[in-house]
Amino acid sequence: MDPTCIIDKLNKTLEHAPGLINGPLYSMSQKQLGELYFHKGNNLEACYHFSESHAVCLRLLGLLDKARNEVGEKSDSSERLSFRSQFAKEGVNGMLKRLEEMPSEWTIIQLTRAVDPNEYFSIRQPNYSPKLKDFFLTRFPCGTELLKKNSPVCVKLSWPEDATGDLIQSFLNIKEKLGQRKGTSAHIQKIRNEASSDVERLCREIGPMCFKEWSCLVLGKLMNKALEDEIREAVDKRIGNADISIRQRYMCYLIGEGSCHLENGDIEVALYQVFDGNESLAINVLECLIRIKETLESRLHVAARHPVLLVLDDHFDNVSWECTPLLKRHPVSRVFSLHVAHALFTSHKDHIKGGLREINENEVCYYVVNPDGNLPSVEEHIPKFFRKRFPQWIGIIGKKPTEEELIKALTESNTYVYCGHGSGSQYIASERIQRLKVKPLQMLFGCSSVALKDLGGHTEMYGDVMEFAIACSGCTLGMLWPVTCYDTDRITMVLANISLPGTPVDINTFEEIQGKTKKEPELLRAMRQVRECVNLFSNGAALIARGIPIKLVPDKTTSSDFSSDTSESK
């Protein structure tokens, strides 16, 4: 059947079946439309429909809450996650307006699995991922230069058929091993070590095996404007007056800016796809980009970049993308969809400067440590550290918090820190969190605290962390899978030491560290450093952030004792 006929039929189905608009079938239909438009060569329509396929049920929860408010069932605050309905009605133009409103420093990278027709007729069991085959990488630049100097771009990629294992199923197996609690201590430790080695190996392989010649599309914007201009001017000069689209020119820029991660053959393959058979122009630009790579490679490898916001199809969320060679030097957070990223921006925009949501950390923060009372090592180290490092902080140690105490902690303290089992949601009803307007930052240092649960079938994956997103949290930081106490304690203390104002203390002796200590107030950049303080690679790789980029700043009435060093990324 002609693709145009299929597109028309799908659109009519969606128009006449409103019950599908927020559900698994809606998500699948949007993926199908995205793929059809992609093969027709309509890049913007493809990008739009792929973006529509993500976090459908989470958006439904936001709409349900809006409906409750309209009938008088009020939330604790009206300033919660809100999706702008007028944009939803405008299709591609609505998508572009969302992107234009968000900070130009942000780049949204979206990974969407292609639809496998067999999935319609099979009942999938929880924690069993369909075999990874084709998927789509979509890059959404943000800011007012959209459609002037850049444009959303989408490419199709495939997991190699000759790979030794399926990427997603491999990470699911790793999570199962890391959660192993049966057997002797030596046996459990051996399994954990093997799983950690597997995580490290897979993280090394993801770039060349997943993204190939399009690795450059995954990187954030260069912070060094002069370096960016140098590359783009060289590309413009080589292209000359050739009649090409904004999208084609933008992709040439990105290949040049990410050339340090590409072989010459990768650059050639990418250019032939960009220019779609215009061999002479591809060869002409190829010479320019190879020269850029040869002269600027060392500078590009260490160049600092602005944040990347990752939007991941359900099972892609099990993968530690942040620890791949492509991204491990740079600030990365996860958001559930482009719509969620825009809703968070809208909610926090009065506090966002330079693409960073600023938080005053001289205010009192709240912590809950070892509420079940069965993590003696945590209770031994963390409270001592907090009391010495942050004497003004308040919290609960060794006992279960009441729901009222947690509500106060989440809504009155700029930062909430939880050190215990899971996410801490066992002490407060999920519906209660949804009805709050929580403060901007939660740090949940428990096993799988921000992981999503696979419910099987065609339902979207779901996790406790989504409650914080609905309650308009700026960023929730936590663990993607089971972790060990010793490394988690180190992560907690090192992250606090290097990212928060005040005098750092030694995490072993709890004595103040004399002399100047390098700090990093941008939370996502600090996390990059913290991942290296662990004994097991898997414990560092588990640490992720969900939400928008955060910067912790001292009160303006006091002198700043630190500043972000983004001159280069080591």
Side-chain angles (χ1 to χ4, degrees):
M1 184 181 291
D2 178 45
T4 303
C5 294
I6 302 175
I7 290 171
D8 289 341
K9 286 180 179 292
L10 282 170
N11 281 324
K12 287 178 181 177
T13 300
L14 292 172
E15 287 174 7
H16 294 98
L20 298 180
I21 288 180
N22 287 290
L25 290 179
Y26 177 77
S27 178
M28 288 185 177
S29 297
Q30 293 296 341
K31 285 184 182 181
Q32 283 186 308
L33 284 167
E35 191 161 355
L36 288 165
Y37 276 114
F38 177 84
H39 289 299
K40 281 190 68 177
N42 193 328
N43 180 75
L44 280 178
E45 283 283 357
C47 293
Y48 164 70
H49 287 288
F50 284 135
S51 73
E52 280 292 304
S53 72
H54 287 264
V56 173
C57 291
L58 181 60
R59 285 148 56 195
L60 174 61
L61 287 173
L63 293 172
L64 285 175
D65 184 69
K66 181 180 178 181
R68 285 172 179 161
N69 287 335
E70 288 175 351
V71 298
E73 192 179 324
K74 300 294 183 182
S75 300
D76 291 354
S77 171
S78 60
E79 301 178 18
R80 296 172 65 253
L81 196 66
S82 176
F83 301 102
R84 304 263 281 278
S85 57
Q86 72 269 28
F87 288 158
K89 298 173 183 177
E90 295 182 39
V92 171
N93 288 333
M95 174 190 75
L96 295 176
K97 288 178 181 178
R98 281 191 173 102
L99 293 170
E100 285 178 324
E101 287 192 3
M102 288 187 278
S104 60
E105 292 84 1
W106 294 1
T107 302
I108 298 177
I109 304 297
Q110 178 181 281
L111 300 181
T112 311
R113 284 181 61 240
V115 172
D116 182 349
N118 293 323
E119 294 178 29
Y120 286 106
F121 310 104
S122 59
I123 300 176
R124 189 181 59 78
Q125 298 301 314
N127 296 317
Y128 176 77
S129 168
K131 185 174 176 60
L132 178 59
K133 298 176 183 175
D134 298 333
F135 63 98
F136 294 87
L137 188 167
T138 311
R139 179 187 179 96
F140 296 102
C142 299
T144 56
E145 290 187 346
L146 194 68
L147 295 185
K148 298 173 185 175
K149 295 184 178 180
N150 54 43
S151 170
V153 297
C154 181
V155 296
K156 187 175 183 179
L157 298 166
S158 301
W159 182 250
E161 291 186 5
D162 58 351
T164 53
D166 182 82
L167 174 65
I168 296 171
Q169 193 60 48
S170 295
F171 270 94
L172 289 173
N173 295 339
I174 286 168
K175 290 176 75 171
E176 185 177 349
K177 288 181 180 179
L178 291 171
Q180 176 66 254
R181 294 291 184 270
K182 294 181 180 179
T184 64
S185 297
H187 175 69
I188 293 171
Q189 188 60 50
K190 180 182 177 182
I191 291 176
R192 285 177 179 164
N193 290 340
E194 291 173 353
S196 182
S197 297
D198 288 342
V199 174
E200 190 168 8
R201 173 183 57 80
L202 285 168
C203 285
R204 285 196 307 267
E205 295 174 352
I206 288 172
M209 294 183 74
C210 255
F211 304 123
K212 307 177 183 73
E213 66 272 13
W214 293 119
S215 297
C216 56
L217 298 188
V218 183
L219 300 168
K221 275 185 68 175
L222 288 168
M223 295 189 70
N224 187 333
K225 188 67 168 60
L227 180 58
E228 179 185 87
D229 289 344
E230 182 179 350
I231 292 170
R232 297 191 175 197
E233 287 170 7
V235 171
D236 287 340
K237 185 176 180 180
R238 179 53 65 102
I239 291 174
N241 296 322
D243 183 18
I244 64 172
S245 67
I246 293 173
R247 172 181 172 273
Q248 289 173 312
R249 189 179 296 269
Y250 179 52
M251 293 182 82
C252 289
Y253 293 159
L254 295 176
I255 295 169
E257 292 163 14
S259 57
C260 59
H261 295 283
L262 301 173
E263 300 294 335
N264 290 352
D266 294 329
I267 298 175
E268 183 177 4
V269 171
L271 284 174
Y272 274 93
Q273 293 181 53
V274 170
F275 294 118
D276 194 24
N278 189 336
E279 187 173 343
S280 60
L281 185 55
I283 292 173
N284 189 33
V285 178
L286 174 63
E287 294 173 356
C288 170
L289 293 179
I290 289 177
R291 188 176 302 114
I292 287 172
K293 178 188 174 184
E294 291 172 348
T295 56
L296 300 178
E297 185 170 12
S298 59
R299 290 174 63 190
L300 287 171
H301 263 302
V302 298
R305 292 181 182 265
H306 287 295
V308 162
L309 304 185
L310 282 178
V311 176
L312 302 169
D313 222 347
D314 279 355
H315 288 94
F316 278 126
D317 196 72
N318 293 298
V319 179
S320 181
W321 304 99
E322 293 85 346
C323 289
T324 62
L326 278 172
L327 294 175
K328 69 178 182 179
R329 297 183 179 90
H330 308 299
V332 180
S333 186
R334 302 185 184 198
V335 289
F336 294 107
S337 73
L338 185 155
H339 311 72
V340 173
H342 181 262
L344 289 174
F345 164 74
T346 301
S347 177
H348 294 272
K349 63 182 178 181
D350 292 342
H351 303 281
I352 294 176
K353 295 181 181 179
L356 303 168
R357 203 295 186 187
E358 294 188 343
I359 298 177
N360 175 9
E361 267 313 323
N362 278 337
E363 295 183 11
V364 174
C365 299
Y366 198 95
Y367 56 83
V368 173
V369 177
N370 189 26
D372 285 330
N374 57 4
L375 296 172
S377 63
V378 174
E379 191 167 332
E380 179 182 355
H381 298 105
I382 298 298
K384 289 180 182 178
F385 174 80
F386 283 162
R387 287 167 180 155
K388 181 69 177 181
R389 182 72 169 81
F390 309 106
Q392 75 278 24
W393 283 21
I394 58 175
I396 297 173
I397 300 168
K399 68 171 187 174
K400 296 178 181 180
T402 65
E403 189 169 274
E404 290 70 26
E405 286 173 322
L406 285 183
I407 290 172
K408 185 176 181 179
L410 291 168
T411 57
E412 297 182 11
S413 301
N414 259 351
T415 299
Y416 166 68
V417 182
Y418 172 80
C419 302
H421 292 296
S423 64
S425 61
Q426 59 268 41
Y427 306 112
I428 181 171
S430 60
E431 171 115 351
R432 197 73 182 93
I433 297 175
Q434 288 182 30
R435 309 293 285 164
L436 301 174
K437 171 64 166 68
V438 301
K439 285 293 188 174
L441 178 61
Q442 298 78 41
M443 298 182 176
L444 310 178
F445 296 108
C447 290
S448 306
S449 55
V450 294
L452 302 183
K453 299 179 180 68
D454 182 0
L455 305 176
H458 295 302
T459 58
E460 291 180 3
M461 291 169 65
Y462 188 82
D464 298 327
V465 68
M466 284 185 170
E467 314 297 347
F468 291 105
I470 296 168
C472 223
S473 163
C475 183
T476 304
L477 177 155
M479 301 300 179
L480 195 55
W481 49 61
V483 288
T484 57
C485 289
Y486 179 80
D487 274 350
T488 306
D489 289 353
R490 288 181 63 85
I491 287 171
T492 306
M493 293 186 285
V494 172
L495 183 62
N497 253 348
I498 68 175
S499 64
L500 299 182
T503 304
V505 300
D506 187 283
I507 63 173
N508 296 309
T509 65
F510 307 114
E511 298 295 326
E512 290 188 0
I513 298 175
Q514 302 301 317
K516 189 173 182 179
T517 304
K518 184 178 179 181
K519 295 190 180 182
E520 178 49 76
E522 291 186 31
L523 187 64
L524 299 182
R525 296 186 196 278
M527 288 171 63
R528 176 199 67 194
Q529 299 177 33
V530 168
R531 291 187 182 103
E532 299 176 0
C533 77
V534 297
N535 290 321
L536 274 181
F537 182 90
S538 59
N539 288 332
L543 181 65
I544 65 167
R546 296 191 188 274
I548 58 178
I550 296 288
K551 184 176 182 179
L552 302 140
V553 297
D555 191 290
K556 292 180 180 178
T557 60
T558 64
S559 60
S560 174
D561 63 348
F562 63 87
S563 60
S564 180
D565 179 12
T566 56
S567 57
E568 61 179 24
S569 177
K570 297 296 185 186

